[in-house]
Amino acid sequence: MQEKLQQAFDLCNKNKYEEALSLLEEITKNDPQNSEAWRALAQVHWYHQNEPDKAFDELIEALKCDPQNLWALILMGNLLTKEKKDIKTAKQYYDKVLKYHPNNAIAINNIGATYMECHDYESALPYMMKALAIDDSYANSYYGLALCYYKLNRIEDAFEICHKGALKSSDRPENPSVREELIKLYITVAKEYADKTNYLNVWKGIKDELEAVDYVNIRITDDRSLNVHAKLEYAPLHAAKEHVIRYNPEKDYVEHLFIHEMMHLKMSQQATIANRSKAVVSSERTRTAFKKRFLSFMKKRHSHIPLSELDKAIIGLADGLGLQLMNCPLDLFVENMIYTDYKIVRPIQMLSLFHMEQDNINAVKQAASNGFFPKEIVYANKVMNIVTSLHFKDLYGINLIGQYNPTKQEYKHAQDLYEEFKAYLNTYKAGDEYEMLEYFVQSFNMDELIEIIDEKQVTPGMKADLSMKSDLKDLEENALSIEDTEAANAQFAQNHQDGADPTETMMMSLYMLGAMEYFDTLTPQAIHRIALEIAMVGVTGIDPKKKYSIKSIPDKEFGGYQFLAYYYVSWARAIPHKLNALGLPFSKAYESALQMYNSKKNM
């Protein structure tokens, strides 16, 4: 009979319910004491034949045969809840599950899930809690409990459970997508938690705390010209009377950025007090070494760029590499400090780091595909981003490492660096971060490219910017290449067909005419520099509704359309052979502007 029962289960698994039904009816007729056969028969009648009354009678028979039949008890409770709306009686069956099967997390979780389906989240809570107490790796229970809290508007509790679930839960074959749903809920809850938290008071409190350490004022100022998220100018390294935190208000999660930079300041203060503060600086020696190693590659890869501009690009790349090598290990300590010391910041920290991870993943993929940077730098950037991702996984349980598509060597290198960080973290004392920085530099064989000196040796002429968020994503934005602008401009071109809007075309023509007349006052080299600088901004797309500025045209703020006009005209003059590759839909406006320009010149 057991063989026939298994045959019936197999038929159900193949969705052959009519055949299974006949077989189960035969079994219960010939073996009326078979509790599992009655339970399976009830399940088919209810779930697949929509006959809850028959199912109810069959469950009575199942429980007569075996009062402790786990799934019959749960099925009866579910049927009473959903079909007969008899919650009171259903609870009696659920209580028997707890009595007879107190250690079955899946069964107890399913009871909670039934209450949730009925929107009775309060009643579901104790079952979800009980299931987690039995098995603290069960993702379904984390998701269910967090969702209950969320529906009950207990946002802080929901975030805490999502956080624990992301860190502790594991995928299960019976529900392989539940962790993905848990992470989605995690992000939703974090956003609502962050929105209702007054982070202004948090970072003001930290600001007061830090100003009391060295009695130096901290000035926080917005700076839309920053390609990076934010940066710290530590007073002792800038021969300044105050510490300055600059941030780009157009970046996301600025509250986290404030606190991040203040943690950099806190670490710098502690290292200064311990007489262990250091800085990464650019010197003639490091720049010469950098050129020696990479000039040949850059000349070959970017033969269309004038040597004077290429030289600037190489210097910028050298400075950027130094900044990233410093920021990666220091940021590990900074984010760990925020996570440990400021629990209230965790929701926005998680969101901010998750957002940065997405940017980093895209930047690493672009850097690997477009061939702009030397392979050694691309490798170092990728490995350091994987290190950051390993830390994010440890803090918030979200594993994005696979999206970097690391090779075995890259992953092994990243793991080694991360293990070094954890070793320092266990015995951390102020200034250890600089020892770890030296370990990072040596691991990439870049000792000659990076100069790490004591804080007291830094002179005003040295470029030392300890908190600037410079990685290859930001260097991508500064790249003297137009490959990345194509994607940014493609979406714009879809919504702005060339010449389709006469008003827009005329407006662009007038802006272009102004650009042509302005460029008449400049040297070709200056126009080339402007073209490249605007392209740097164009990597991330130009919004006609926003304001823009560039260093090559000081004291001037552009509207979006005017900036696009200068973009197009500067490339038409300085790099005409690459103009079409930009994908800007303004050829008609340019033709009209050129006619007006030539007419005025011939008058």
Side-chain angles (χ1 to χ4, degrees), residues 222-237:
D222 64 1
D223 186 347
R224 284 178 168 79
S225 69
L226 287 178
N227 282 326
V228 296
H229 291 78
K231 68 175 184 176
L232 165 70
E233 295 172 4
Y234 183 46
L237 296 179

Side-chain angles (χ1 to χ4, degrees), residues 397-448:
I398 301 176
N399 187 354
L400 301 174
I401 299 163
Q403 295 188 34
Y404 287 99
N405 297 317
T407 63
K408 287 184 179 179
Q409 172 60 29
E410 289 164 345
Y411 187 64
K412 183 176 181 299
H413 194 163
Q415 280 187 310
D416 174 71
L417 294 175
Y418 188 59
E419 289 301 319
E420 185 73 8
F421 160 69
K422 290 198 292 185
Y424 270 106
L425 195 61
N426 290 333
T427 59
Y428 177 77
K429 57 185 182 296
D432 278 354
E433 60 270 22
Y434 299 108
E435 288 186 5
M436 195 177 78
L437 164 62
E438 291 174 346
Y439 184 85
F440 269 56
V441 173
Q442 290 166 6
S443 81
F444 292 115
N445 192 28
M446 291 182 173
D447 305 60
E448 62 177 356

Side-chain angles (χ1 to χ4, degrees), residues 20 31 53 72 75 89 169 198 231:
D31 183 11
D53 290 336
L75 200 62
T89 306
S169 68
N198 186 350
K231 68 175 184 176

Side-chain angles (χ1 to χ4, degrees), residues 42-171:
Q43 192 161 333
V44 174
H45 272 133
W46 182 22
Y47 287 173
H48 305 292
Q49 302 294 317
N50 195 26
E51 296 182 280
D53 290 336
K54 275 189 179 181
F56 180 81
D57 293 338
E58 288 156 354
L59 286 171
I60 293 293
E61 294 299 322
L63 291 170
K64 281 181 181 178
C65 300
D66 180 4
Q68 297 185 24
N69 185 322
L70 171 62
W71 297 110
L73 288 168
I74 291 177
L75 200 62
M76 179 64 91
N78 292 353
L79 190 149
L80 287 165
T81 300
K82 295 177 181 180
E83 298 291 346
K84 300 186 179 297
K85 312 301 179 188
D86 186 353
I87 305 296
K88 184 177 179 180
T89 306
K91 190 174 185 304
Q92 294 174 8
Y93 286 93
Y94 291 148
D95 286 345
K96 288 179 181 179
V97 172
L98 294 176
K99 178 181 178 181
Y100 298 137
H101 308 278
N103 296 316
N104 192 315
I106 295 176
I108 294 169
N109 177 85
N110 288 353
I111 296 172
T114 300
Y115 281 115
M116 288 175 64
E117 288 179 27
C118 300
H119 307 292
D120 186 356
Y121 302 108
E122 287 286 0
S123 296
L125 282 176
Y127 292 99
M128 294 298 179
M129 290 176 180
K130 174 69 174 174
L132 277 180
I134 297 168
D135 182 356
D136 68 354
S137 69
Y138 193 33
N140 293 60
S141 297
Y142 281 111
Y143 176 72
L145 183 57
L147 188 60
C148 284
Y149 283 137
Y150 179 65
K151 293 294 186 180
L152 293 169
N153 201 32
R154 293 171 59 176
I155 302 299
E156 293 179 32
D157 291 328
F159 179 80
E160 190 66 27
I161 293 302
C162 284
H163 185 196
K164 287 181 180 178
L167 289 170
K168 292 186 175 183
S169 68
S170 56
D171 294 324

